[in-house]
Amino acid sequence: MSGLIANTLSVQGLTHSYGGAAAVDEVSFTVPAGEIAALLGPSGCGKSTVLRAIAGLVSPRSGSIMLGDADLGHLPARERGIGMVFQNYALFPHLTVAENIAYPLACQHVGRTERRERVTEMLELVRLADYAKRLPRELSGGQQQRVAVARALAPSPSLLLLDEPFGALDRALRFDLQVEMLRLQKTLGITTLIVTHDQEEAQSLASSLVLMNKGRIEQIDTPMAVYDRPQTLFVNRFIGQANQFEAIVETLETNATILRLRSGEALSLPRRLDFVTGAAVVATCRPEHVSLVDAPAANALAATVGVSVPLGPSLVHDLILANGGELRASQARGPETLVPAAGSTVFASIDTARCHVFPAPGTPSA
Ligand SMILES: Nc1ncnc2c1ncn2[C@@H]1O[C@H](COP(=O)(O)OP(=O)(O)OP(=O)(O)O)[C@@H](O)[C@H]1O
Ligand SMILES: [Mg+2]
């Protein structure tokens, strides 16, 4: 299985439309050789279109697609050396597991003996050696998914494209297969691009995330950077949870900014923001950066407890603010942690050093 030379995938200025508005608009990103990147975004944002353009299944209006030194743009799909796993696996229903895996090898005129050896090797790789003679309908969803991966890998592609490969599976199986996928990818060292709309899946599999929204790239970063330093409100809300406040920039000081929330309260941030006084903004904070205190304090908003729910190691509070707005807080839970009663009054202390502030949607950026 070794001997594969991993190549960097480089997509530049990719644009495609299916007639009307652009489904993919000037998309550029690279996946370093041997790494996994995840293409992530809401339904309809253009993820599958990007994958199909790379695979040669749609012809983009413009843009370049390079794999190492090879310009894929001018090659027909079958000559691109790409293994692809489709959203619904797309196994041939009338072929056995072994025949499904052998199919792309037969298309490449690989000889019978070598084909058989390769199929055996692939079946072992995805741990399905005992299932060679079964038909796809005689397999579980997870097993079918592994056949689809084996079929994609059989011709030793130099790039692996996975379109929502775990989409149809339940949570526990998804997790097992993600671990399996990571193992395979590490063993083979093959450059991989995985499409998902599941942010946890993306974060657990990929070394970099490519976030798309409405055909465009919003941010490309490591999973941690995307979570800790979202560059847009969309990214902040799409990855993880975010409380959000509409506000006006009231005062700018050398090392501080005071925001006046729509509810009338003030939040003081320990840094000067790059906005002008009076700018309309949206401030966000993650639930883990809100803690409950029992007395009024700076940056603490009066609230009523709606419900407090233990979720594994955390206690999650859904709070109702004085103006009717909602705020979620999450704290680490120990055996001694008190669960506040619904309806009790608390103060939600916001760690304003961890707040992000974006221009209000529809206003020119700072
Ligand atoms: N064959 C097609 N003909 C016309 N429009 C299409 C076609 N395929 C996709 N589109 C449109 O292009 C846009 C992007 O679609 P795409 O399938 O790339 O989205 P996606 O991000 O993969 O979504 P999902 O998460 O739902 O799979 C959508 O608005 C979709 O309706
Ligand atoms: Mg899709």
Side-chain angles (χ1 to χ4, degrees):
M1 286 315 310
S2 53
L4 253 178
I5 301 159
N7 279 310
T8 296
L9 171 69
S10 170
V11 172
Q12 295 301 324
L14 186 69
T15 297
H16 183 71
S17 68
Y18 296 97
V24 169
D25 194 2
E26 287 288 325
V27 161
S28 302
F29 64 92
T30 58
V31 186
E35 296 203 2
I36 307 188
L39 197 53
L40 194 63
S43 184
C45 74
K47 305 178 297 290
S48 293
T49 305
V50 169
L51 236 61
R52 295 174 73 81
I54 296 168
L57 303 173
V58 299
S59 309
R61 184 160 13 120
S62 58
S64 82
I65 300 165
M66 304 284 294
L67 189 58
D69 296 332
D71 184 347
L72 297 188
H74 303 295
L75 294 176
R78 65 179 183 289
E79 287 172 27
R80 295 192 180 192
I82 290 175
M84 182 146 171
V85 175
F86 294 89
Q87 206 152 346
N88 52 4
Y89 318 141
L91 297 175
F92 302 114
H94 56 289
L95 299 185
T96 64
V97 165
E99 287 164 349
N100 262 283
I101 298 171
Y103 185 84
L105 301 171
C107 290
Q108 290 184 355
H109 310 294
V110 174
R112 184 181 292 263
T113 315
E114 195 186 333
R115 219 153 67 203
R116 196 172 301 140
E117 280 170 14
R118 186 76 183 148
V119 168
T120 306
E121 194 181 358
M122 286 297 115
L123 282 169
E124 274 164 16
L125 189 70
V126 298
R127 305 176 199 224
L128 283 176
D130 297 337
Y131 295 79
K133 297 210 166 65
R134 296 233 196 149
L135 290 170
R137 66 165 182 272
E138 297 165 333
L139 300 177
S140 73
Q143 288 163 344
Q144 290 181 41
Q145 194 273 348
R146 277 141 70 194
V147 176
V149 170
R151 186 178 61 180
L153 290 173
S156 301
S158 33
L159 178 68
L160 183 60
L161 302 176
L162 304 160
D163 197 349
E164 306 252 6
F166 315 114
L169 308 172
D170 70 45
R171 213 180 156 79
L173 188 55
R174 280 174 89 99
F175 183 74
D176 287 350
L177 285 168
Q178 284 169 26
V179 172
E180 182 85 8
M181 196 65 235
L182 267 181
R183 178 187 69 84
L184 275 179
Q185 201 276 339
K186 292 273 172 284
T187 311
L188 303 175
I190 184 173
T191 310
T192 300
L193 180 60
I194 178 169
V195 164
T196 176
H197 60 248
D198 179 333
Q199 45 163 299
E200 280 180 22
E201 183 168 295
Q203 290 180 56
S204 62
L205 282 174
S207 51
S208 75
L209 306 187
V210 179
L211 271 121
M212 284 183 71
N213 182 26
K214 297 182 181 157
R216 292 167 179 260
I217 303 262
E218 291 264 339
Q219 187 166 351
I220 302 175
D221 246 318
T222 63
M224 265 195 291
V226 165
Y227 189 87
D228 294 339
R229 294 184 296 283
Q231 280 163 19
T232 65
L233 182 58
F234 168 83
V235 171
N236 197 172
R237 291 173 50 171
F238 191 76
I239 298 287
Q241 296 183 355
N243 294 298
Q244 148 174 359
F245 306 95
E246 291 175 37
I248 298 288
V249 175
E250 188 169 86
T251 314
L252 288 164
E253 292 161 13
T254 315
N255 288 314
T257 303
I258 295 172
L259 301 181
R260 182 63 55 184
L261 305 188
R262 189 177 240 216
S263 58
E265 286 148 304
L267 283 185
S268 171
L269 277 65
R271 64 186 190 278
R272 186 186 176 92
L273 296 180
D274 194 11
F275 286 95
V276 294
T277 309
V281 295
V282 174
T284 65
C285 67
R286 303 255 186 230
E288 62 269 31
H289 300 138
V290 182
S291 53
L292 302 192
V293 293
D294 45 23
N299 297 326
L301 309 177
T304 308
V305 175
V307 60
S308 289
V309 197
L311 274 183
S314 349
L315 190 57
V316 176
H317 313 281
D318 276 334
L319 310 172
I320 300 148
L321 296 170
N323 70 344
E326 291 174 0
L327 182 67
R328 177 164 287 184
S330 167
Q331 65 178 119
R333 189 177 62 85
E336 308 291 313
T337 309
L338 292 176
V339 181
S344 54
T345 300
V346 291
F347 295 87
S349 170
I350 305 213
D351 180 356
T352 54
R354 310 296 294 269
C355 287
H356 299 287
V357 182
F358 303 98
T363 59
S365 47

